[in-house]
Structure formats: C-alpha cells, structure tokens
Amino acid sequence: MFNLRNLRAADVKNDVLAGAVVSVALIPEATAFSLLAGLSPTIGLHTAFMLGLVTALFGGKPGMISGAAGSIVVVLVSLIQTHGYEYVLLATIFAGLIQLAIGVFRLGKFIRLVPQPAIYGFVNGLAIVIALAQIPMIKNQGPVMYGLVALAMLIVWLFPKLTKAIPGSLAALIAISAIAIGFGLDTKRVGDLADISGTLPMFHLPAAPLSWETLKVVLPYSVIIALVGLIESLLTLAVLDEMGSKKGDGNKECVAQGIGNTICGFFGSFAGCAMIGQSIINFTSGGRGRISNLVGAVLLILFVVSLSKYIALLPVAALAGIMFVVCINTFEWSSIRRLKRMPKPDAVIMVAVTIVTIYTDLAMAVIFGVIISALVFAWQHARISILSQQEEEGEKTIRLEGPLFFGSAASFQELFHPENDPQNVVIDFARTRVMDSSGVEAIDKLTARYLAAEKSVRLRHLSEDCISLLKQAGPFCSHELDDPDYKVAADKG
C-alpha cells in the first residue's frame, strides 16, 4: 500500500504524468484485444481499470501496469466461440482464485527457474511482437501517418535531453495531437478503432450453470489463464527489476493478480495480467510508485465514462510512435553482443525462445525455454567418472566423482565390470552426491551385479536415506556411513 510519509513532490509529479501517458496507451490494446475476442471494447477497458486499480493498491511491484493482455485473450477466443461470454466470466473467476492460491502458498518463487537466456529471449521476442502489433494500425495510411509516427519517435527520443519536466512520451502525445487536430490532418484517430464510450463496471453474476459439466469445460481454461497470466506478470516484474528499480515481491503480485481477476469475473470482464509494454512506458516516463498505477486506472475509466469523445480525437500515430520507441528500448541489444561470448547452449536457448515468443505465445516460449535449459543442464552434468582405483591384498577401492542422477545413471553402470574385479570391492561415494531416486536405483542395480558375480561389495560414504532405499543389496552388502547426511529426492508417486 501507499507509504505517504516517504512521498516527495517530484516523485508524485512523475507518477501522475507517467500514469496519464499510460492511461492513453492502454486504450488501443484493450480495445483491440476485446475486438479480437469478439466482445465490446468497453469490456477490455473495464478489465484494464479494475485489474489496474487492484494491482496499484496490492501488487508486488509499484509502477507495474496490468490490463487486458493478448496472451490471455488468445486462450479465451475458443471458449467464447464454443460456449459464450458467460463461460468466460466463470473461467476468469476460477483463474483468479487459482492465482490467489499460488500467491498464498508462496509458489511465485518458481519464476527463478526461468534462466537468464530465456528471459532475454522473452524480452526480445515481446519487443518484436509489440512492434508488429503497431503495423496494422498504420499500414497503408499514407505519408501523413508515417511522418507523424516518425516525428513522435523523434520527440520521445529528444525531449528528455532538453528537459525532464514532463515525460518524453507525454510530450510526443501532446505535440502530435496538437498538430493533427490543429491542422485538421486526415489521419487515423483513436475513435476510428472503436467506440470506447461506456459506463462504470456493474456487478454481474455469471449466468453459466454451476454444474460438474460446466466445470469440466471451464477449469482447463482457468488453469491455462492463471499460469499464462502469472508467467507474463512475474517475468515483467523480473524485467523491471533488471532495469534497476526496487526488487518486487512475486508472491504478493500473484495475490494481487488473483484478487483483480476474480473481481473482473464478477463485474463482467475477462482476465488480464501485467503488460510489459505499458509497464516500460510507465517506468521510462518516471513512474516508479503506486500513484502512477492508480492515476492510469482512474484516468482510463474517466475517459470511458466522461471524456471518450475527446480521447477519440487523439491520433493513432502518436501512440504507435511511442510504442515503437518502447520496443527499441525494451529489446535487450546487449544480448546480441553477448551471443558470440555466450556458451552455445545459452545462445540457442535465447534465440529459440525469441522465435517461439514471436510465433506462438509467451507461456509456450517460457515453458520451452525452461525445458530446453533443464535438458542442457542435465546433459552438461551427466558426467560421472572413476577418480581413482587402488588394489591391495585382494581388495579394490574405486573412488567416484560427479553427480549420480537420472542423467548419469546409464554411464555409471558402464564404469564397472564385476567379472574382472577381485573378490572384495569398495565403492567410495565421497565425491559423488546421489541426487534422486534414479541414482539410488542405479546403485541398487550395481550391487545386484556384484552379488550375481558372487563378489563382496562395500559402499562407502552413502547417506542414510540413500541406504534405506536400496532393495537389491539387502544384508549381503555392507555400508559405511562416514559423513553424508543429505536427503535423496525420491519419487513417492
């Protein structure tokens, strides 16, 4: 919540001005996503207002903007087409409750599993996607449109070098609007996208029947919406953390997203999540506090209820120009320079996630990146070897090195040849950590091989829980518990 004692006048001014820019920037996307879903533009604008208001008050990252997002609308389209609007509201409510539970049980920390190359790929892909989304709005609009877009980009870039009194994006919006309206230029306006006039959101209980059959339809969509929304929100939070602001709270953001989406479902709107484009507009415009979120949400609903006819006059060129600059600033240009120095697996992950983000969606890209990174990690660490061998007085001691887990279990078996070893064998695991139940299973099979060859085998430096999981060795295999006390991740399923 707000800490009024630490507020400074300069920070309040920056937050208010940044929020004003964001409120206008939210209109085209909220409108476009609603139309994509086959719904009234007002529904998407209500989502941006309600979710923005809740995350402004309770979110885990001050200054991070939430609203109607394309990644979630894409999931909702098929539900709308097959079962209709009321089912979407029910799916939104359940998605919010799932997100709330994830936050309460503090599972937001698992975003740390997304590796840095995957985050670079996500950011780069999203920057390209945002840029491509602007092209349909300005395509085939003639030289006036292209000139105004270029001028808007130039103002956003140059204005902060002259003064920081107001954000460059707000200066561009004012200047381009003044030129287009003052000279009566024939160029596309916000009002040409759709009618954004409407009323305040009204409480609305979903009319879908609450039955087992309905739940079977709705819950799969709710789970996907919840996870996609949190992935995009938590990655946006991570990106803003990287840009140098105060570290956000992922679990708190999960709770806020859950509360906000549940409210959206009960007030006739579909689910949303954090929006990286608008968040970066807010950040680069000086919006660092919760006031910027709050101003953005309040002004947006004010536009819908009272000022829609004036907002309709704003030129699309100004918004497109601002978004193009956001894309340029969002793209992680340093990652291109790092490509040559990156380990090849990291470079492949970054490029692959970028491509998947562009051609599919964010959730698929992140899941793809995590899976590929996990496989690369397993491959790189699937190396276990014999560190040394010592044989004296009919006893052979074999010292191992490297992790023993599912990735190295097969190569572990190939290290040993019981038929060639002496009668008494000691296998020393001092330099080997048994990571999972697959590693225990590998030890189990190895001891069985030695027993089948009628050889005595002694396992040294195994942890207690590892020994308790061994089945084949039984009483015929002795164990020396010297020092390990780590726990093995065993599969209980």
Side-chain angles (χ1 to χ4, degrees), residues 122-263:
F122 148 71
V123 171
N124 293 345
L126 211 54
I128 294 170
V129 169
I130 294 171
L132 293 175
Q134 310 309 309
I135 293 176
M137 293 197 297
I138 66 173
K139 188 178 180 182
N140 301 323
Q141 294 297 308
V144 173
M145 169 67 82
Y146 305 143
L148 290 176
V149 169
L151 181 58
M153 294 177 67
L154 188 63
I155 293 172
V156 174
W157 180 61
L158 284 178
F159 196 81
K161 300 180 185 300
L162 302 176
T163 177
K164 297 188 183 297
I166 64 171
S169 47
L170 182 58
L173 183 62
I174 294 171
I176 301 302
S177 300
I179 292 171
I181 296 171
F183 290 96
L185 298 181
D186 183 16
T187 185
K188 186 186 288 187
R189 310 296 175 94
V190 170
D192 297 327
L193 300 177
D195 180 14
I196 66 166
S197 60
T199 60
L200 289 170
M202 303 292 290
F203 183 78
H204 174 82
L205 278 175
L210 195 58
S211 64
W212 177 241
E213 293 302 318
T214 302
L215 292 179
K216 285 197 293 186
V217 172
V218 165
L219 283 178
Y221 285 97
S222 298
V223 172
I224 296 172
I225 291 167
L227 295 180
V228 169
L230 290 187
I231 288 171
E232 186 157 357
S233 298
L234 294 177
L235 281 181
T236 300
L237 185 149
V239 169
L240 294 182
D241 283 350
E242 287 282 326
M243 293 178 69
S245 61
K246 185 179 178 182
K247 184 173 174 59
D249 186 329
N251 292 309
K252 193 173 180 181
E253 184 64 30
C254 292
V255 170
Q257 293 286 333
I259 294 172
N261 282 322
T262 303
I263 292 173

Side-chain angles (χ1 to χ4, degrees), residues 294-469:
L294 188 64
V295 169
V298 171
L299 283 181
L300 179 65
I301 199 63
L302 185 62
F303 295 155
V304 171
V305 175
S306 305
L307 304 174
S308 58
K309 64 179 181 179
Y310 300 109
I311 299 302
L313 298 175
L314 297 178
V316 170
L319 301 176
I322 292 170
M323 292 304 292
F324 278 131
V325 175
V326 166
C327 295
I328 294 170
N329 293 335
T330 300
F331 196 92
E332 192 70 43
W333 297 101
S334 62
S335 65
I336 297 178
R337 296 194 300 271
R338 294 176 187 171
L339 269 176
K340 293 181 180 179
R341 300 183 180 88
M342 272 185 184
K344 287 184 180 179
D346 286 351
V348 169
I349 290 168
M350 188 183 78
V351 173
V353 171
T354 299
I355 293 171
V356 175
T357 301
I358 294 169
Y359 288 102
T360 58
D361 58 65
L362 170 63
M364 184 65 69
V366 172
I367 292 169
F368 176 83
V370 171
I371 291 174
I372 295 298
S373 299
L375 292 175
V376 168
F377 178 85
W379 177 261
Q380 290 176 333
H381 290 79
R383 300 188 184 101
I384 188 168
S385 60
I386 294 176
L387 180 64
S388 65
Q389 300 184 69
Q390 184 179 355
E391 189 170 347
E392 54 184 24
E393 299 179 1
E395 181 177 278
K396 185 177 183 179
T397 300
I398 304 171
R399 294 181 177 86
L400 302 176
E401 183 176 51
L404 180 55
F405 67 115
F406 69 90
S408 60
S411 59
F412 171 76
Q413 296 291 340
E414 296 170 0
L415 296 175
F416 299 93
H417 306 281
E419 65 277 6
N420 300 329
D421 286 336
Q423 187 64 34
N424 299 310
V425 176
V426 177
I427 304 176
D428 192 333
F429 288 83
R431 300 286 295 272
T432 297
R433 184 181 178 94
V434 185
M435 307 293 289
D436 61 6
S437 55
S438 296
V440 175
E441 184 81 15
I443 298 172
D444 199 39
K445 289 179 180 178
L446 180 63
T447 57
R449 288 170 60 194
Y450 275 100
L451 292 173
E454 299 182 345
K455 303 287 178 71
S456 168
V457 62
R458 198 157 74 250
L459 307 179
R460 183 175 295 166
H461 291 109
L462 281 176
S463 66
E464 282 190 55
D465 66 320
C466 182
I467 290 174
S468 69
L469 292 172

